[in-house]
């Protein structure tokens, strides 16, 4: 049995369709977010915008030549400070490749530091394996600050 080749790289425009397929897997698992229909055109536009924007991060986990995960985030300003912070939108790894999320997080942190961020903020809003993900975040030095609440209106 060979060891799978695993690495993270920045997404390119050529990755948009495979990322759309990955979004379908994410939505299928993230039951709490199923109330939001996927608009494929909007998804493609937002992914493309992130790929070309200097303040956008779209890291893809590649395992054996295929996209197995993604971390989508951006650089933002802290509203009351001149400091910059990197904020995630989605961290998702296909079930069969879970355990590789640390590679995405490490690359995101590297990108954030190079982009001038003084902090990174990541969530577990999808409710996918929350306990396991929180343990990973803690092992990587993250501290829990607050909670996320959701209400349909």
């Amino acid at each position: 049995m060979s060891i799978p080749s695993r690495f993270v790289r920045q997404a390119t425009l050529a990755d948009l369709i495979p990322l759309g397929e990955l979004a379908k897997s994410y939505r299928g698992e993230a039951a709490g977010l199923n109330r939001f229909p996927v608009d494929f055109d909007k998804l493609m536009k937002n992914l493309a915008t992130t790929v070309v924007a200097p303040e956008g991060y779209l890291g893809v986990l590649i395992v054996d030549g295929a996209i197995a995960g993604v971390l989508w985030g951006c650089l933002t300003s802290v509203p009351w400070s001149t400091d910059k912070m990197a904020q995630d939108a989605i961290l998702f790894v296909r079930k069969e490749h879970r355990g590789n999320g640390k590679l995405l997080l490490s690359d995101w942190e590297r990108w954030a530091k190079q982009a001038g961020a003084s902090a990174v903020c990541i969530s577990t809003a999808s409710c996918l394996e929350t306990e396991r993900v929180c343990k990973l975040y803690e092992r990587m030095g993250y501290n829990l600050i607050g909670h996320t609440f959701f209400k349909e209106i």
Side-chain angles (χ1 to χ4, degrees):
M1 182 156 98
S2 65
I3 297 172
S5 168
R6 294 180 281 247
F7 62 93
V8 173
R9 64 169 172 75
Q10 291 296 302
T12 67
L13 294 175
D15 295 320
L16 296 188
I17 299 300
L19 284 169
E21 293 301 315
L22 189 66
K24 289 179 187 175
S25 296
Y26 171 77
R27 187 169 184 272
E29 284 192 61
L33 299 175
N34 281 343
R35 60 185 50 89
F36 300 109
V38 175
D39 180 319
F40 199 74
D41 289 337
K42 183 170 178 96
L43 174 63
M44 291 297 108
K45 180 182 175 188
N46 288 339
L47 287 168
T49 298
T50 303
V51 166
V52 299
E55 68 277 1
Y57 176 85
L58 196 58
V60 290
L61 170 66
I62 306 296
V63 178
D64 292 335
I67 294 176
V70 64
L71 198 158
W72 190 354
C74 66
L75 190 65
T76 186
S77 296
V78 177
W80 56 87
S81 174
T82 58
D83 283 7
K84 294 179 183 176
M85 176 176 66
Q87 174 70 52
D88 81 306
I90 295 171
L91 169 60
F92 178 71
V93 177
R94 291 188 189 276
K95 278 185 182 181
E96 62 271 22
H97 299 294
R98 297 214 173 126
N100 291 298
K102 183 177 180 180
L103 295 171
L104 283 162
L105 284 166
S106 294
D107 189 70
W108 183 52
E109 289 175 4
R110 178 203 50 75
W111 170 84
K113 189 172 184 175
Q114 287 178 346
S118 62
V120 291
C121 181
I122 192 152
S123 67
T124 59
S126 65
C127 300
L128 292 176
E129 300 188 31
T130 301
E131 213 173 293
R132 181 178 177 187
V133 172
C134 287
K135 287 179 183 176
L136 168 65
Y137 293 167
E138 288 171 354
R139 282 194 310 272
M140 292 189 67
Y142 289 81
N143 298 303
L144 178 62
I145 299 175
H147 296 277
T148 300
F149 291 87
F150 181 86
K151 177 183 176 181
E152 284 192 49
I153 54 172

